């Protein structure tokens, strides 16, 4: 009876593709509509116990990742990438909860610490030397990860139309790479704010190593507690942590901190479809308090802030390429991972990166870059200056090497 009920429930979860699931008693259930796509054969997975199977049936979006981390959900044929592609295709059929918690200052600090202030540092295993933990910009398919991350910073700097001596606020400054680049190569004076103690420590050390104390300062500070007025504001990979309930307040804060002729640039993961709720596994284990916005949610909040959207760019597959490179780095350093991470933690991050790449490659995940201004005359009326500034910086950097 349990097996018959399990088949019916699992068929509702896997409607597209072809999945063979090996049950704890060895029997195989064939799920999906038998469409293989690019796969030569159905993906085959094994669930090691009836209790795990029950948990997967009750809450697959949470329990599959948990079972994989524990070694209770084993991919026997097809590999993790093929399974993630199939899972991404079927996720839209799952009912999603509507509740999204509000990120108070205390909750925001706790959420950031959960992901960044951890004793086992997985980031050194896969990020580029500048520790850019956001979507790179691949000017060519064969670009290295480091080159693509440098191109991302140049691309953003061009949209900010930087000039020497401008004051810049970096909201969510991470390990400091963006701020250091804007100061070193563009002559900006940069104030960076982060909620991560570990990131702050690294960023401040890098300022000293680069000898940029006169033009770069990092602070442990909630963006809501910033003060002053700036010529430019940049925020890369932080907006995902703001929380949908605080979007209007976020953009109003940006408006207050931006000079009348200033320019702001927001770089964030986004959803190309209508608004949706969080993935429960990501919410619990990776990014508590995070939320992936639709463009409609961002635009509605900007409209109420006094800011004007001057330009929107959608980076469609750049993040898939970025995470592919991260995963290759992670796989190449498995010996280091075995020393640094326990097996459950390693499998959890393996699952996280594979799922993220699939979401950007096959699902609705994209990256939005929004250029925001207060005065319509703050920028040239054509986009040509962006490319011109990028090319000028490329030539200047090449000449300096």
């Amino acid at each position: 009876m349990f097996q018959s009920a399990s088949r019916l429930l699992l068929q509702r979860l896997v409607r597209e593709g072809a999945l063979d699931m090996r049950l704890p008693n060895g029997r195989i259930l064939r799920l999906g509509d038998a469409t293989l796509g690019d796969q030569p054969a159905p993906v085959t997975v094994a669930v090691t116990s009836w209790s795990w199977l029950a948990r997967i049936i009750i809450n697959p979006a949470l329990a599959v990742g948990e079972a994989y981390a524990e070694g209770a959900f084993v991919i026997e044929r097809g590999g993790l990438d093929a399974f993630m592609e199939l899972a991404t295709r079927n996720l839209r059929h799952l009912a999603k909860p509507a509740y999204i918690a509000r990120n108070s200052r205390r909750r925001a600090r706790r959420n950031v610490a959960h992901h960044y202030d951890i004793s086992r540092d997985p980031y050194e295993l896969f990020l580029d030397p500048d520790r850019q933990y956001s979507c790179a910009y691949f000017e060519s398919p064969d670009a290295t990860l480091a080159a693509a991350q440098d191109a991302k910073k140049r691309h953003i700097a061009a949209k900010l139309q930087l000039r020497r001596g401008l004051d810049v606020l970096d909201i969510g400054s991470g390990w400091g790479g963006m701020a250091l680049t804007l100061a070193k190569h563009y002559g900006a004076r940069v104030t960076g704010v982060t909620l991560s103690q570990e990131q702050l420590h690294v960023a401040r050390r890098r300022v000293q190593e680069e000898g940029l104390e006169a033009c770069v300062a990092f602070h442990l500070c909630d963006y809501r507690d910033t003060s002053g007025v700036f010529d430019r504001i940049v925020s890369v990979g932080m907006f995902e942590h703001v929380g949908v309930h605080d979007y209007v307040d976020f953009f109003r804060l940006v408006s207050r901190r931006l000079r009348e002729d200033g320019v702001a640039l927001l770089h964030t993961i986004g959803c190309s479809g209508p608004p949706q709720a969080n993935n429960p596994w990501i919410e619990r284990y990776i990014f508590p308090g995070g939320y992936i916005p639709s463009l409609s949610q961002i635009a509605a909040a900007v409209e109420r802030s006094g800011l004007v959207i001057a330009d929107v760019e959608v980076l469609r597959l750049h993040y898939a390429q970025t995470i592919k490179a991260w995963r290759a780095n992670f796989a190449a350093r498995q010996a280091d991972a075995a020393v640094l991470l326990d097996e459950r933690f390693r499998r959890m991050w393996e699952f996280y990166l594979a799922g993220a790449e699939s979401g950007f490659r096959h699902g609705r995940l994209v990256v939005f870059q929004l250029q925001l201004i207060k005065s319509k005359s703050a920028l040239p009326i054509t986009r040509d200056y962006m490319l011109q500034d990028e090319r000028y910086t490329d030539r200047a950097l090449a000449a300096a090497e």
Side-chain angles (χ1 to χ4, degrees):
M1 178 68 72
F2 178 74
Q3 292 183 36
S4 299
S6 297
R7 171 186 278 276
L8 291 175
L9 292 169
L10 289 167
Q11 283 286 11
R12 295 177 61 185
L13 301 178
V14 186
R15 302 184 189 183
E16 301 181 27
L19 178 71
D20 287 349
M21 178 175 286
R22 188 182 306 279
L23 302 180
N25 63 2
R27 182 184 174 189
I28 290 180
L29 293 182
R30 298 208 156 175
L31 308 171
D33 60 8
T35 57
L36 293 175
D38 296 331
Q39 300 300 318
V43 175
T44 301
V45 301
V47 182
T48 62
S49 72
W50 296 111
S51 61
W52 272 114
L53 181 64
R55 291 171 63 176
I56 289 170
I57 290 172
I58 293 170
N59 192 350
L62 175 64
V64 169
E66 292 178 328
Y68 185 87
E70 297 291 347
F73 185 90
V74 181
I75 301 174
E76 297 183 335
R77 182 177 63 187
L80 185 56
D81 286 347
F83 171 76
M84 283 300 182
E85 179 181 353
L86 186 147
T88 300
R89 292 168 58 189
N90 283 279
L91 274 175
R92 68 175 184 269
H93 300 304
L94 299 180
K96 297 179 176 67
Y99 175 74
I100 302 170
R102 192 171 196 127
N103 281 334
S104 65
R105 285 169 173 76
R106 177 180 294 182
R107 185 188 296 273
R109 288 193 204 94
R110 186 173 68 243
N111 291 341
V112 166
H114 176 94
H115 193 77
Y116 297 104
D117 297 343
I118 49 181
S119 58
R120 297 166 292 185
D121 183 358
Y123 305 105
E124 68 180 51
L125 298 175
F126 63 88
L127 296 183
D128 67 299
D130 196 40
R131 283 205 168 202
Q132 288 292 305
Y133 190 31
S134 58
C135 176
Y137 188 71
F138 285 82
E139 296 174 308
S140 64
D142 58 348
T144 65
L145 176 61
Q149 291 292 9
D150 286 342
K152 183 266 298 293
K153 288 177 283 185
R154 291 196 306 274
H155 195 58
I156 289 173
K159 292 184 178 185
L160 289 169
Q161 203 180 37
L162 289 172
R163 302 186 303 275
R164 181 168 296 277
L166 293 183
D167 291 310
V168 180
L169 174 63
D170 184 358
I171 300 177
S173 50
W175 289 283
M178 177 62 72
L180 291 169
T181 295
L182 299 186
K184 186 174 181 179
H185 298 307
Y186 298 89
R189 295 188 296 265
V190 189
T191 299
V193 296
T194 179
L195 288 178
S196 168
Q197 293 274 8
E198 290 298 319
Q199 290 184 329
L200 179 71
H201 173 74
V202 171
R204 284 179 169 174
R205 186 187 71 229
R206 294 180 69 186
V207 170
Q208 294 177 340
E209 292 172 350
E210 294 279 355
L212 293 171
E213 295 93 335
C215 50
V216 181
F218 293 108
H219 305 282
L220 191 70
C221 177
D222 191 290
Y223 73 93
R224 288 165 285 202
D225 298 325
T226 55
S227 60
V229 182
F230 298 84
D231 301 294
R232 301 290 187 264
I233 297 176
V234 63
S235 183
V236 178
M238 176 272 179
F239 191 71
E240 300 92 321
H241 300 280
V242 168
V244 66
H245 300 295
D246 293 306
Y247 286 175
V248 173
D249 289 342
F250 175 86
F251 288 113
R252 285 176 176 167
L253 181 282
V254 171
S255 183
R256 290 196 302 273
R257 298 286 162 261
L258 190 65
R259 296 191 191 280
E260 287 301 316
D261 61 348
V263 181
L265 190 286
L266 177 72
H267 172 115
T268 179
I269 297 172
C271 174
S272 62
Q276 60 184 26
N278 293 340
N279 176 285
W281 187 83
I282 293 292
E283 168 71 23
R284 178 174 294 184
Y285 294 102
I286 306 298
F287 288 114
Y291 182 76
I292 304 302
S294 293
L295 190 58
S296 58
Q297 293 173 296
I298 299 175
V302 172
E303 290 167 2
R304 298 170 59 188
S305 70
L307 295 168
V308 176
I309 297 176
D311 187 83
V312 178
E313 183 176 8
V314 182
L315 305 181
R316 291 165 286 114
L317 291 171
H318 290 268
Y319 218 156
Q321 287 294 100
T322 304
I323 301 172
K324 180 181 179 180
W326 288 348
R327 293 180 63 202
N329 289 346
F330 195 76
R333 299 191 61 185
Q334 286 300 297
D336 296 326
V339 174
L340 185 65
L341 314 173
D342 62 50
E343 180 61 12
R344 179 182 178 276
F345 195 87
R346 186 199 66 79
R347 289 175 63 84
M348 184 174 72
W349 275 76
E350 179 182 60
F351 189 85
Y352 154 54
L353 292 174
E357 181 183 350
S358 182
F360 283 100
R361 195 174 297 282
H362 306 293
R364 291 180 170 179
L365 293 181
V366 294
V367 169
F368 299 131
Q369 283 190 354
L370 280 80
Q371 190 185 49
L372 306 170
I373 55 178
K374 297 173 77 172
S375 168
K376 288 185 178 180
S377 61
L379 290 166
I381 61 174
T382 70
R383 303 178 82 251
D384 296 350
Y385 71 91
M386 297 182 191
L387 183 57
Q388 291 168 1
D389 284 0
E390 283 188 76
R391 288 177 173 171
Y392 175 80
T393 304
D394 284 341
R395 292 195 297 269
L397 292 176
E401 290 180 350

